[in-house]
Amino acid sequence: MDIHVPKDHPRYQSIAIREMLVEMADASVVAPAGLIAHGRGEAFDYLFGEDTPPPAYEAIEASAASLLIASHPVLSINGNAAALCPHQLVKLSEASGAPLEINLFYRTLEREQAIAEVLYESGAQEVLGVGDDASETISEVGSERRRVDPRGIGSADVVFVPLEDGDRTEGLRGMGKTVLTVDLNPLSRTARKANISIVDNLMRVVPLLTEAVEKLKDRDEKELKKIVDTFSNQRNLKASLDYIADRLYSFSFEGE
Ligand code: PTJ
């Protein structure tokens, strides 16, 4: 289906992203359920005015510090993440030294290969977790996401899992790994279970996170550890919810 969206349409960007995701679903990169997940994200993004909410900056800084002090950080990539910001994810991988690993809820070899191709075309030198490379099974995770690459998530101490479902976050934490996530829904199980949840749109977060990694790169480990230790996920999620509530409250009295 070829749809022409006029560039001066007030929602042009949002519609263009949707059309891109539909194409990526046709190419098997995005799972059909990934389109539903995107719609859920869009609804929350409205509540934030489609802009990074202030509490997210603190979570981004703590995530950057956590990636830098990790001995083996990994960026876990699903269909939506690969479709939304592949170049930026490759840049984050380069800046942080964390390899990219494909890990899917709706796992098929066809999708793994399609996603790997998107990442290679975006400049990735190596993509873990494709085909037989995902040879390890982690019993703590119930879904297809339990299949991991022993060079990646299997041996990671810190895992970045954007646009996630709650099960794997719990499973990875149960294995003693630190979980960093990005989720526009501050009420989701993932957001509540992760060590650090960045409540913002992944497309805005990845460049900001890369910038934060570059900025903190030369700090000593003690200082980075302090940033991580003083971060409270619960407090930060509450701040995100308060931010939404204040925005709704101010709108409901507009014009009175
Ligand atoms: O590619 P696969 O097979 O691994 O499948 C991926 C999906 C997305 C289908 C799977 O992880 C899934 O079902 O996710 P959920 O449980 O729908 O959770 C997705 C969460 O991400 C929801 O809370 C959304 O609000 C949120 N979200 C959606 N788009 C964005 C987002 N958060 C940040 N940035 C976004 N662009």
Side-chain angles (χ1 to χ4, degrees):
M1 197 173 19
D2 198 13
I3 295 178
H4 175 70
V5 186
K7 286 225 159 73
D8 60 354
H9 188 290
R11 300 290 307 160
Y12 173 77
Q13 222 190 344
S14 166
I15 296 171
I17 292 168
R18 273 193 210 179
E19 292 304 323
M20 179 277 287
L21 286 172
V22 169
E23 275 173 29
M24 287 290 191
D26 287 342
S28 302
V29 171
V30 172
L35 299 177
I36 298 171
H38 180 74
R40 212 135 53 100
E42 275 187 333
F44 277 98
D45 214 5
Y46 258 73
L47 301 177
F48 290 113
E50 295 173 314
D51 200 1
T52 300
Y57 289 98
E58 196 198 344
I60 287 169
E61 189 188 43
S63 297
S66 184
L67 286 171
L68 287 169
I69 54 177
S71 48
H72 188 21
V74 174
L75 309 181
S76 178
I77 308 297
N78 67 8
N80 286 53
L84 288 172
C85 49
H87 292 93
Q88 292 83 349
L89 286 164
V90 171
K91 281 192 187 146
L92 174 62
S93 169
E94 285 165 2
S96 62
L100 300 157
E101 174 167 343
I102 296 175
N103 186 276
L104 305 177
F105 189 81
Y106 300 100
R107 193 171 191 121
T108 63
L109 185 59
E110 187 199 4
R111 288 196 64 217
E112 291 164 35
Q113 287 168 342
I115 294 167
E117 200 179 313
V118 168
L119 293 172
Y120 283 126
E121 277 171 4
S122 305
Q125 299 295 315
E126 190 180 28
V127 179
L128 305 179
V130 180
D132 292 341
D133 286 349
S135 58
E136 198 175 314
T137 300
I138 48 180
S139 57
E140 286 82 353
V141 178
S143 67
E144 271 297 283
R145 281 183 160 147
R146 67 184 179 274
R147 283 168 52 196
V148 299
D149 193 319
R151 297 168 298 161
I153 295 170
S155 50
D157 56 346
V158 174
V159 196
F160 176 73
V161 286
L163 255 135
E164 179 59 10
D165 72 13
D167 278 5
R168 187 162 67 126
T169 304
E170 277 188 89
L172 294 173
R173 287 214 57 184
M175 296 172 76
K177 298 182 194 291
T178 297
V179 178
L180 317 175
T181 195
V182 180
D183 195 329
L184 276 159
N185 177 3
L187 296 167
S188 80
R189 206 151 54 90
T190 305
R192 284 183 285 118
K193 297 288 177 188
N195 296 77
I196 302 174
S197 303
I198 304 169
V199 181
D200 190 18
N201 192 318
L202 183 69
M203 294 179 86
R204 292 190 295 265
V205 168
V206 180
L208 290 171
L209 184 53
T210 308
E211 218 175 276
V213 166
E214 299 285 8
K215 199 178 111 199
L216 295 178
K217 222 168 195 165
D218 298 324
R219 303 272 181 95
D220 61 47
E221 192 164 332
K222 211 170 129 194
E223 218 179 317
L224 294 174
K225 217 171 161 315
K226 194 172 162 204
I227 293 174
V228 175
D229 290 345
T230 50
F231 179 82
S232 158
N233 201 44
Q234 211 184 352
R235 194 179 58 218
N236 196 265
L237 289 177
K238 185 179 178 319
S240 301
L241 283 169
D242 286 346
Y243 184 76
I244 293 177
D246 287 349
R247 272 180 60 84
L248 290 177
Y249 189 77
S250 68
F251 286 139
S252 64
F253 287 98
E254 226 169 49
E256 280 194 6

PDB file of all heavy atoms in Angstrom, residues 58 61-62 65-66 69 219-232 235:
ATOM      1  N   GLU A  58      17.731  12.139  34.621  1.00  0.00           N
ATOM      2  CA  GLU A  58      18.456  11.515  35.736  1.00  0.00           C
ATOM      3  C   GLU A  58      18.639  10.012  35.470  1.00  0.00           C
ATOM      4  O   GLU A  58      19.704   9.435  35.721  1.00  0.00           O
ATOM      5  CB  GLU A  58      17.684  11.725  37.046  1.00  0.00           C
ATOM      6  CG  GLU A  58      18.547  11.458  38.268  1.00  0.00           C
ATOM      7  CD  GLU A  58      17.718  11.236  39.542  1.00  0.00           C
ATOM      8  OE1 GLU A  58      16.513  11.585  39.554  1.00  0.00           O
ATOM      9  OE2 GLU A  58      18.287  10.690  40.496  1.00  0.00           O
ATOM     10  N   GLU A  61      21.351   9.507  32.874  1.00  0.00           N
ATOM     11  CA  GLU A  61      22.703   9.638  33.447  1.00  0.00           C
ATOM     12  C   GLU A  61      23.093   8.371  34.235  1.00  0.00           C
ATOM     13  O   GLU A  61      24.205   7.842  34.095  1.00  0.00           O
ATOM     14  CB  GLU A  61      22.774  10.872  34.361  1.00  0.00           C
ATOM     15  CG  GLU A  61      24.196  11.159  34.785  1.00  0.00           C
ATOM     16  CD  GLU A  61      24.309  12.247  35.842  1.00  0.00           C
ATOM     17  OE1 GLU A  61      23.506  12.242  36.803  1.00  0.00           O
ATOM     18  OE2 GLU A  61      25.209  13.085  35.704  1.00  0.00           O
ATOM     19  N   ALA A  62      22.144   7.863  35.029  1.00  0.00           N
ATOM     20  CA  ALA A  62      22.426   6.656  35.827  1.00  0.00           C
ATOM     21  C   ALA A  62      22.658   5.447  34.914  1.00  0.00           C
ATOM     22  O   ALA A  62      23.523   4.606  35.196  1.00  0.00           O
ATOM     23  CB  ALA A  62      21.271   6.391  36.789  1.00  0.00           C
ATOM     24  N   ALA A  65      26.141   5.726  33.422  1.00  0.00           N
ATOM     25  CA  ALA A  65      27.157   5.361  34.427  1.00  0.00           C
ATOM     26  C   ALA A  65      27.178   3.844  34.609  1.00  0.00           C
ATOM     27  O   ALA A  65      28.245   3.230  34.716  1.00  0.00           O
ATOM     28  CB  ALA A  65      26.852   6.064  35.750  1.00  0.00           C
ATOM     29  N   SER A  66      25.999   3.228  34.612  1.00  0.00           N
ATOM     30  CA  SER A  66      25.907   1.779  34.800  1.00  0.00           C
ATOM     31  C   SER A  66      26.568   1.040  33.630  1.00  0.00           C
ATOM     32  O   SER A  66      27.279   0.044  33.831  1.00  0.00           O
ATOM     33  CB  SER A  66      24.426   1.412  34.929  1.00  0.00           C
ATOM     34  OG  SER A  66      24.282   0.067  35.197  1.00  0.00           O
ATOM     35  N   ILE A  69      30.452   1.339  34.077  1.00  0.00           N
ATOM     36  CA  ILE A  69      31.133   0.568  35.135  1.00  0.00           C
ATOM     37  C   ILE A  69      30.952  -0.947  34.937  1.00  0.00           C
ATOM     38  O   ILE A  69      31.592  -1.740  35.609  1.00  0.00           O
ATOM     39  CB  ILE A  69      30.700   0.964  36.585  1.00  0.00           C
ATOM     40  CG1 ILE A  69      29.193   0.881  36.763  1.00  0.00           C
ATOM     41  CG2 ILE A  69      31.245   2.310  36.971  1.00  0.00           C
ATOM     42  CD1 ILE A  69      28.751   1.193  38.194  1.00  0.00           C
ATOM     43  N   ARG A 219      35.214   9.914  33.728  1.00  0.00           N
ATOM     44  CA  ARG A 219      35.046  10.002  35.193  1.00  0.00           C
ATOM     45  C   ARG A 219      35.591   8.737  35.848  1.00  0.00           C
ATOM     46  O   ARG A 219      35.565   7.657  35.242  1.00  0.00           O
ATOM     47  CB  ARG A 219      33.565  10.128  35.565  1.00  0.00           C
ATOM     48  CG  ARG A 219      32.862  11.290  34.945  1.00  0.00           C
ATOM     49  CD  ARG A 219      32.995  12.542  35.792  1.00  0.00           C
ATOM     50  NE  ARG A 219      32.258  13.627  35.134  1.00  0.00           N
ATOM     51  CZ  ARG A 219      31.016  13.965  35.426  1.00  0.00           C
ATOM     52  NH1 ARG A 219      30.368  13.329  36.377  1.00  0.00           N
ATOM     53  NH2 ARG A 219      30.412  14.947  34.791  1.00  0.00           N
ATOM     54  N   ASP A 220      36.064   8.882  37.109  1.00  0.00           N
ATOM     55  CA  ASP A 220      36.572   7.658  37.730  1.00  0.00           C
ATOM     56  C   ASP A 220      35.408   6.787  38.238  1.00  0.00           C
ATOM     57  O   ASP A 220      34.275   7.253  38.421  1.00  0.00           O
ATOM     58  CB  ASP A 220      37.630   7.928  38.807  1.00  0.00           C
ATOM     59  CG  ASP A 220      37.096   8.754  39.938  1.00  0.00           C
ATOM     60  OD1 ASP A 220      36.006   8.436  40.411  1.00  0.00           O
ATOM     61  OD2 ASP A 220      37.766   9.723  40.338  1.00  0.00           O
ATOM     62  N   GLU A 221      35.738   5.528  38.448  1.00  0.00           N
ATOM     63  CA  GLU A 221      34.707   4.531  38.739  1.00  0.00           C
ATOM     64  C   GLU A 221      33.928   4.857  40.008  1.00  0.00           C
ATOM     65  O   GLU A 221      32.722   4.599  40.106  1.00  0.00           O
ATOM     66  CB  GLU A 221      35.361   3.150  38.832  1.00  0.00           C
ATOM     67  CG  GLU A 221      34.313   2.072  38.845  1.00  0.00           C
ATOM     68  CD  GLU A 221      34.861   0.692  38.542  1.00  0.00           C
ATOM     69  OE1 GLU A 221      35.872   0.590  37.836  1.00  0.00           O
ATOM     70  OE2 GLU A 221      34.257  -0.274  39.051  1.00  0.00           O
ATOM     71  N   LYS A 222      34.636   5.451  40.975  1.00  0.00           N
ATOM     72  CA  LYS A 222      33.979   5.763  42.250  1.00  0.00           C
ATOM     73  C   LYS A 222      32.832   6.765  42.026  1.00  0.00           C
ATOM     74  O   LYS A 222      31.738   6.624  42.578  1.00  0.00           O
ATOM     75  CB  LYS A 222      35.035   6.356  43.207  1.00  0.00           C
ATOM     76  CG  LYS A 222      34.763   6.050  44.654  1.00  0.00           C
ATOM     77  CD  LYS A 222      35.939   6.427  45.498  1.00  0.00           C
ATOM     78  CE  LYS A 222      35.452   7.286  46.634  1.00  0.00           C
ATOM     79  NZ  LYS A 222      36.529   7.967  47.336  1.00  0.00           N
ATOM     80  N   GLU A 223      33.132   7.755  41.181  1.00  0.00           N
ATOM     81  CA  GLU A 223      32.142   8.780  40.890  1.00  0.00           C
ATOM     82  C   GLU A 223      30.934   8.173  40.131  1.00  0.00           C
ATOM     83  O   GLU A 223      29.774   8.483  40.419  1.00  0.00           O
ATOM     84  CB  GLU A 223      32.832   9.824  39.999  1.00  0.00           C
ATOM     85  CG  GLU A 223      32.418  11.256  40.295  1.00  0.00           C
ATOM     86  CD  GLU A 223      33.174  12.199  39.368  1.00  0.00           C
ATOM     87  OE1 GLU A 223      34.392  11.992  39.178  1.00  0.00           O
ATOM     88  OE2 GLU A 223      32.528  13.109  38.844  1.00  0.00           O
ATOM     89  N   LEU A 224      31.250   7.277  39.180  1.00  0.00           N
ATOM     90  CA  LEU A 224      30.178   6.636  38.404  1.00  0.00           C
ATOM     91  C   LEU A 224      29.303   5.767  39.306  1.00  0.00           C
ATOM     92  O   LEU A 224      28.074   5.755  39.204  1.00  0.00           O
ATOM     93  CB  LEU A 224      30.782   5.770  37.285  1.00  0.00           C
ATOM     94  CG  LEU A 224      31.543   6.513  36.189  1.00  0.00           C
ATOM     95  CD1 LEU A 224      32.205   5.532  35.236  1.00  0.00           C
ATOM     96  CD2 LEU A 224      30.619   7.447  35.409  1.00  0.00           C
ATOM     97  N   LYS A 225      29.952   5.076  40.205  1.00  0.00           N
ATOM     98  CA  LYS A 225      29.242   4.186  41.127  1.00  0.00           C
ATOM     99  C   LYS A 225      28.297   4.994  42.010  1.00  0.00           C
ATOM    100  O   LYS A 225      27.178   4.567  42.304  1.00  0.00           O
ATOM    101  CB  LYS A 225      30.252   3.411  41.971  1.00  0.00           C
ATOM    102  CG  LYS A 225      29.819   2.000  42.231  1.00  0.00           C
ATOM    103  CD  LYS A 225      30.900   1.181  42.873  1.00  0.00           C
ATOM    104  CE  LYS A 225      30.313  -0.053  43.532  1.00  0.00           C
ATOM    105  NZ  LYS A 225      29.151   0.073  44.325  1.00  0.00           N
ATOM    106  N   LYS A 226      28.772   6.185  42.386  1.00  0.00           N
ATOM    107  CA  LYS A 226      27.943   7.053  43.242  1.00  0.00           C
ATOM    108  C   LYS A 226      26.665   7.488  42.495  1.00  0.00           C
ATOM    109  O   LYS A 226      25.583   7.523  43.069  1.00  0.00           O
ATOM    110  CB  LYS A 226      28.765   8.281  43.669  1.00  0.00           C
ATOM    111  CG  LYS A 226      28.134   9.047  44.787  1.00  0.00           C
ATOM    112  CD  LYS A 226      29.034  10.119  45.315  1.00  0.00           C
ATOM    113  CE  LYS A 226      28.189  11.110  46.088  1.00  0.00           C
ATOM    114  NZ  LYS A 226      28.800  12.426  46.162  1.00  0.00           N
ATOM    115  N   ILE A 227      26.836   7.779  41.201  1.00  0.00           N
ATOM    116  CA  ILE A 227      25.661   8.172  40.389  1.00  0.00           C
ATOM    117  C   ILE A 227      24.640   7.030  40.381  1.00  0.00           C
ATOM    118  O   ILE A 227      23.436   7.237  40.548  1.00  0.00           O
ATOM    119  CB  ILE A 227      26.095   8.524  38.935  1.00  0.00           C
ATOM    120  CG1 ILE A 227      26.957   9.784  38.915  1.00  0.00           C
ATOM    121  CG2 ILE A 227      24.870   8.702  38.036  1.00  0.00           C
ATOM    122  CD1 ILE A 227      27.552  10.131  37.549  1.00  0.00           C
ATOM    123  N   VAL A 228      25.137   5.806  40.196  1.00  0.00           N
ATOM    124  CA  VAL A 228      24.233   4.644  40.141  1.00  0.00           C
ATOM    125  C   VAL A 228      23.598   4.393  41.509  1.00  0.00           C
ATOM    126  O   VAL A 228      22.383   4.182  41.623  1.00  0.00           O
ATOM    127  CB  VAL A 228      24.999   3.379  39.663  1.00  0.00           C
ATOM    128  CG1 VAL A 228      24.104   2.149  39.724  1.00  0.00           C
ATOM    129  CG2 VAL A 228      25.527   3.573  38.244  1.00  0.00           C
ATOM    130  N   ASP A 229      24.424   4.455  42.548  1.00  0.00           N
ATOM    131  CA  ASP A 229      23.929   4.120  43.894  1.00  0.00           C
ATOM    132  C   ASP A 229      22.919   5.134  44.429  1.00  0.00           C
ATOM    133  O   ASP A 229      22.055   4.778  45.231  1.00  0.00           O
ATOM    134  CB  ASP A 229      25.108   3.990  44.870  1.00  0.00           C
ATOM    135  CG  ASP A 229      25.925   2.741  44.561  1.00  0.00           C
ATOM    136  OD1 ASP A 229      25.438   1.879  43.816  1.00  0.00           O
ATOM    137  OD2 ASP A 229      27.072   2.648  45.054  1.00  0.00           O
ATOM    138  N   THR A 230      23.044   6.386  44.006  1.00  0.00           N
ATOM    139  CA  THR A 230      22.109   7.396  44.537  1.00  0.00           C
ATOM    140  C   THR A 230      20.806   7.449  43.719  1.00  0.00           C
ATOM    141  O   THR A 230      19.859   8.132  44.090  1.00  0.00           O
ATOM    142  CB  THR A 230      22.750   8.814  44.586  1.00  0.00           C
ATOM    143  OG1 THR A 230      23.321   9.084  43.310  1.00  0.00           O
ATOM    144  CG2 THR A 230      23.810   8.912  45.667  1.00  0.00           C
ATOM    145  N   PHE A 231      20.772   6.700  42.593  1.00  0.00           N
ATOM    146  CA  PHE A 231      19.555   6.680  41.779  1.00  0.00           C
ATOM    147  C   PHE A 231      18.515   5.750  42.402  1.00  0.00           C
ATOM    148  O   PHE A 231      18.820   4.618  42.761  1.00  0.00           O
ATOM    149  CB  PHE A 231      19.876   6.210  40.350  1.00  0.00           C
ATOM    150  CG  PHE A 231      18.664   6.151  39.465  1.00  0.00           C
ATOM    151  CD1 PHE A 231      18.193   7.301  38.850  1.00  0.00           C
ATOM    152  CD2 PHE A 231      17.976   4.951  39.281  1.00  0.00           C
ATOM    153  CE1 PHE A 231      17.052   7.255  38.045  1.00  0.00           C
ATOM    154  CE2 PHE A 231      16.843   4.899  38.483  1.00  0.00           C
ATOM    155  CZ  PHE A 231      16.394   6.059  37.867  1.00  0.00           C
ATOM    156  N   SER A 232      17.285   6.239  42.519  1.00  0.00           N
ATOM    157  CA  SER A 232      16.209   5.369  43.010  1.00  0.00           C
ATOM    158  C   SER A 232      15.171   5.225  41.900  1.00  0.00           C
ATOM    159  O   SER A 232      14.552   6.211  41.475  1.00  0.00           O
ATOM    160  CB  SER A 232      15.562   5.978  44.267  1.00  0.00           C
ATOM    161  OG  SER A 232      14.256   5.455  44.427  1.00  0.00           O
ATOM    162  N   ARG A 235      11.635   6.247  43.061  1.00  0.00           N
ATOM    163  CA  ARG A 235      11.474   7.708  43.171  1.00  0.00           C
ATOM    164  C   ARG A 235      11.357   8.329  41.778  1.00  0.00           C
ATOM    165  O   ARG A 235      10.542   9.206  41.538  1.00  0.00           O
ATOM    166  CB  ARG A 235      12.693   8.274  43.917  1.00  0.00           C
ATOM    167  CG  ARG A 235      12.531   9.705  44.394  1.00  0.00           C
ATOM    168  CD  ARG A 235      13.760  10.178  45.132  1.00  0.00           C
ATOM    169  NE  ARG A 235      14.959  10.092  44.293  1.00  0.00           N
ATOM    170  CZ  ARG A 235      16.164   9.730  44.721  1.00  0.00           C
ATOM    171  NH1 ARG A 235      16.346   9.417  45.980  1.00  0.00           N
ATOM    172  NH2 ARG A 235      17.199   9.694  43.901  1.00  0.00           N
TER     173      ARG A 235
END
